[in-house]
Amino acid sequence: SNARENGNDDKTVGTALTTVTNGSGRSTLKDVTAPQTGILDDPSNAIGLFASQYHTDSYLLFRALCKLSSKTLPGDENVGVSSTGGLGIGGSGHGVNFFSASTTVDPLALNSKILSLELILAVFEHCGDAFQNGEKFVYAVQSYLCVSLLKNCMSNQTSVAHLSLKIFLLLVRKFKTHLKSEIEVFVANIFLRVLESPNSPFEQKVLVLEALRALCADPLMLTQLFLNYDCDFDAVNLYKDIVHHVTRISARACAPINTSSSATKRDTDQELDLSRTGLEVLVVILRSFLKSLDLPGGDDKFDENDGSSSLSMLRQNLKLDIGETTASIDKYRIKRVPSGMNALEKEDSSENVAEKIVVAFDKKRTAQQNFEIGVVKFTLSPKSGLSFFIENGFVELDAQDMARFLYENSEKLDKTQIGEVLGREPDASFIKEDNVDPERGGKGFFLRVLHHYVDKMEFTGLSFDESIRLFLSGFRLPGEAQKIDRIMEKFAERFTRQNTDVFPSADTAFILAFSVIMLNTDLHNPSIKPERRMTLESFIRNNKGISVDGGDLPEDFLTGIFNRIKEKPFSLKEDDEAREKVSKESSRDMFESLFVFEGPFGSSAEDRKREKFRKEREEMMAASEQMFKKRPSKNMSSRKLNLDSSTQLTDSVSPADVVKPMFDVTWGPLIGTLSQVLESSTNETSIALCLSGFVYSIRLASHSGMSLARNTFVNSLAKFTTLGSIKEMKSKNIECIRTLLSIAIIDGEYLGDSWSPILQCISQLGRLHLFASGLDSEDQFLQVGSPQLTKISEA
């Protein structure tokens, strides 16, 4: 298939292939290594020839660079596996590998990969409109470069990962309208999973955080991220997921560390560095909001000379030039005024578009909240949950639409209750009115739902037991035999209709299907003793004479079914994951109890961590490649129309118009993280970042009219001053007092009723000042007969 893809790809170049020649009129640029995954169908008929010889040469050279950068380096196939075949225990490190494994890397191959990535980076730094919007070049980026970046961003080689992330950030900046699904895969399935994994190396987490920091430092890129994903009903909440993952990793350093375990000072320092870097990402997001609103603080910079040498080198290597942000915003504002439209008309138009965007975001958020409520109701009572879904427009009171809803949301709904719905009695109805069409909720409604649900399944070409496994993956079979009969009878009809050469009749398939269910229960029920479980002979004997006219099914056919079910039972993914988790924990505890020491007799904790991440990385890569393959293929006209409409929609919105909904998503998890770090941390840099987060958040909430967020942040900061409490006042509490007073001075005009806790703190400061000055306390001052009160009464 690769050869066919390469051949089709070369056809799109047309006669221009002769432009790269060796003097004989033939192209010397061959497709030696085609990408193995993620290849789109080449829309050659829609594209035609390139505009010039230069376009053709550029395409061929870019494709060759992408393929050269895709070659796998030794050591990237298995994280931490040494050249001798065992797990490396030592190594020189030198900042080259994420793990200190003794992996031999071919210098020529590594330099070749780095050079190709650097050339690709140079291409994107200087490419023009013909490259950014040319359909053939966009296809090359999707089909070749994204596959390369998927491999290289998870590389063990730090320099390779650096360059890959730089290229990815430029892709987000310049190709965001063409790579919506690809960006989602990279961020959601790679970067965020690296952050949440306890086994991923420290340097790789730092790289991901620095990439997110560079991404969030640009208000335009941050806004586009929110508009294209969080405001799209069909996309994931990418911005929200980023905020939640970063807030979690920022608070991890505050979690109690068991010093009696294998935790070392290095691990503690790394957790602190990750926490601080995560806080910087959160503060950068707030600064982008301030920059969009043209408020003080938007142009603040971090102090890079803070002595954190372990992070400064990585940061300098990864940093993109974000200095063009302000100019790009100015250009953005200028170019939005079309000819023939005055500034006032433009402002009204922009506000209308922004209002529509906010409304779309609110609708999506409300729908997600209602869906979560419906899931809970469905788990408690299927009929109550389905009624809630119908009332909120998720599904219609129609048997076919209900089957679609259950089928598409089987991973979100309770699978036991889905099985109960599908197994209801044949005359069961959804509504209690007479003479109602079964398709619309009358008697037999749930039976019709079952029929439509099974009709959505595709069993063509699958073996009988694999078809049952696929069928049962979306729900849990009820416990009653009559319900199992109804469900498996419909399955047998569907399977026989799609595989006419397997069984002579649907009745034979039904009898065997029920027998297979019983076999699965008998073989894998832990309450049945091994000596009493069904054998192959008894399974074959139980299914004698079930074919037409009392005939028998082939013995090899039944033997294959028995062996496959014995090896792998029918089970839901949730049950498999739960069992795997329990098994891993028990085996890990047993292993650590047996090998409490490190050395030649047992692998170290670092080796086990390295091996776990290797498996996690393989899973992430496989899942990402599957997502690339499932990209919707569209013809060129529809794709172009979609891109034009998407670009029009997002380009019409100024970043300032969506700051309020974005901050509304951010401030909830942000206040929890800032408060937790400020409460438990003693690191001056972390405390300073938290206080900056409080200042920026209060300023944003005050100028955006978000009174709840403003009051929450002000009250929380006021509590950290410890004024009016019996807690010991530390240096960080004094900094909180200074921060609160500076907020009152700079943003006091917008604080509204949030002045109350500030005035209380000022009152407490005044009282402390009286005590420090040697004056009497309030009780003595107000005591009857006191000299002060006598003087006041005489006056």
Side-chain angles (χ1 to χ4, degrees), residues 363 574 635:
K363 286 183 178 179
E574 294 84 351
N635 58 51

Side-chain angles (χ1 to χ4, degrees), residues 436-706:
V436 179
D437 186 359
E439 291 283 342
R440 307 295 298 177
K443 289 184 178 181
F445 173 75
F446 291 100
L447 184 62
R448 299 300 305 162
V449 171
L450 171 63
H451 289 185
H452 290 304
Y453 183 92
V454 178
D455 288 341
K456 298 186 74 66
M457 307 295 292
E458 183 60 46
F459 304 127
T460 305
L462 294 178
S463 64
F464 186 67
D465 53 303
E466 286 302 319
S467 298
I468 297 178
R469 192 182 307 278
L470 174 62
F471 180 57
L472 299 181
S473 64
F475 64 94
R476 192 185 303 275
L477 269 178
E480 300 179 25
Q482 292 181 346
K483 294 182 178 181
I484 297 177
D485 273 350
R486 284 190 290 271
I487 294 175
M488 298 312 296
E489 182 180 8
K490 182 58 184 174
F491 160 79
E493 293 177 6
R494 178 70 172 174
F495 180 86
T496 305
R497 191 181 309 122
Q498 293 183 331
N499 300 273
T500 56
D501 57 338
V502 178
F503 297 107
S505 68
D507 291 338
T508 302
F510 165 65
I511 297 173
L512 181 60
F514 195 90
S515 177
V516 166
I517 297 297
M518 297 300 103
L519 171 67
N520 180 77
T521 303
D522 191 87
L523 289 179
H524 301 285
N525 191 338
S527 61
I528 299 178
K529 296 181 179 180
E531 60 272 13
R532 303 192 61 181
R533 290 177 178 172
M534 188 180 301
T535 62
L536 174 61
E537 292 74 17
S538 58
F539 176 68
I540 295 176
R541 185 172 57 252
N542 292 340
N543 291 284
K544 278 188 174 295
I546 65 174
S547 188
V548 177
D549 299 329
D552 296 336
L553 293 174
E555 187 171 320
D556 293 342
F557 179 75
L558 297 177
T559 302
I561 293 177
F562 181 90
N563 292 333
R564 287 190 292 269
I565 294 177
K566 183 178 181 180
E567 180 181 353
K568 185 179 179 182
F570 297 147
S571 60
L572 298 177
K573 183 176 68 174
E574 294 84 351
D575 298 339
D576 293 337
E577 291 175 350
R579 281 193 296 267
E580 184 179 358
K581 183 177 180 181
V582 173
S583 175
K584 284 182 178 179
E585 291 178 352
S586 60
S587 61
R588 181 189 62 197
D589 294 341
M590 181 184 302
F591 186 81
E592 291 181 352
S593 64
L594 292 175
F595 299 98
V596 294
F597 53 91
E598 299 179 6
F601 298 102
S603 61
S604 66
E606 190 71 17
D607 293 332
R608 295 194 297 271
K609 182 178 179 181
R610 187 180 303 124
E611 178 64 19
K612 289 178 181 178
F613 181 67
R614 181 188 66 79
K615 295 180 180 179
E616 291 177 3
R617 189 178 74 161
E618 290 176 355
E619 293 174 359
M620 285 188 282
M621 297 287 289
S624 301
E625 290 172 359
Q626 289 298 322
M627 291 179 183
F628 279 168
K629 289 180 179 180
K630 293 179 181 178
R631 286 178 296 194
S633 58
K634 304 175 183 177
N635 58 51
M636 286 293 108
S637 59
S638 64
R639 181 194 299 177
K640 189 172 182 180
L641 179 63
N642 186 34
L643 293 179
D644 290 343
S645 61
S646 173
T647 305
Q648 264 188 348
L649 176 65
T650 55
D651 285 356
S652 302
V653 182
S654 169
D657 295 330
V658 292
V659 165
K660 185 174 181 178
M662 293 180 73
F663 183 66
D664 193 26
V665 173
T666 309
W667 78 266
L670 178 64
I671 181 65
T673 298
L674 295 181
S675 300
Q676 184 177 351
V677 175
L678 193 58
E679 174 71 26
S680 58
S681 179
T682 57
N683 182 270
E684 294 183 358
T685 305
S686 299
I687 293 172
L689 287 170
C690 289
L691 293 178
S692 297
F694 272 101
V695 172
Y696 297 153
S697 298
I698 293 172
R699 184 168 298 156
L700 287 166
S702 300
H703 287 77
S704 301
M706 303 172 66

Side-chain angles (χ1 to χ4, degrees), residues 98 146-155 161 164-165 168 181-197 200-201 204-205 207-209 211-212 236 238 241-242 245 613 615-628:
F98 286 137
C146 286
V147 175
S148 171
L149 294 182
L150 183 62
K151 297 177 180 178
N152 292 323
C153 70
M154 298 292 290
S155 173
S164 301
L165 289 175
F168 172 76
S181 60
E182 288 80 3
I183 293 172
E184 178 180 329
V185 170
F186 273 104
V187 175
N189 204 52
I190 299 294
F191 297 162
L192 298 186
R193 287 190 62 182
V194 168
L195 288 183
E196 70 182 6
S197 172
S200 56
Q204 201 148 30
K205 288 182 178 179
L207 286 178
V208 170
L209 288 173
L212 294 178
V236 299
L238 207 55
D241 291 343
I242 290 174
H245 278 78
F613 181 67
K615 295 180 180 179
E616 291 177 3
R617 189 178 74 161
E618 290 176 355
E619 293 174 359
M620 285 188 282
M621 297 287 289
S624 301
E625 290 172 359
Q626 289 298 322
M627 291 179 183
F628 279 168

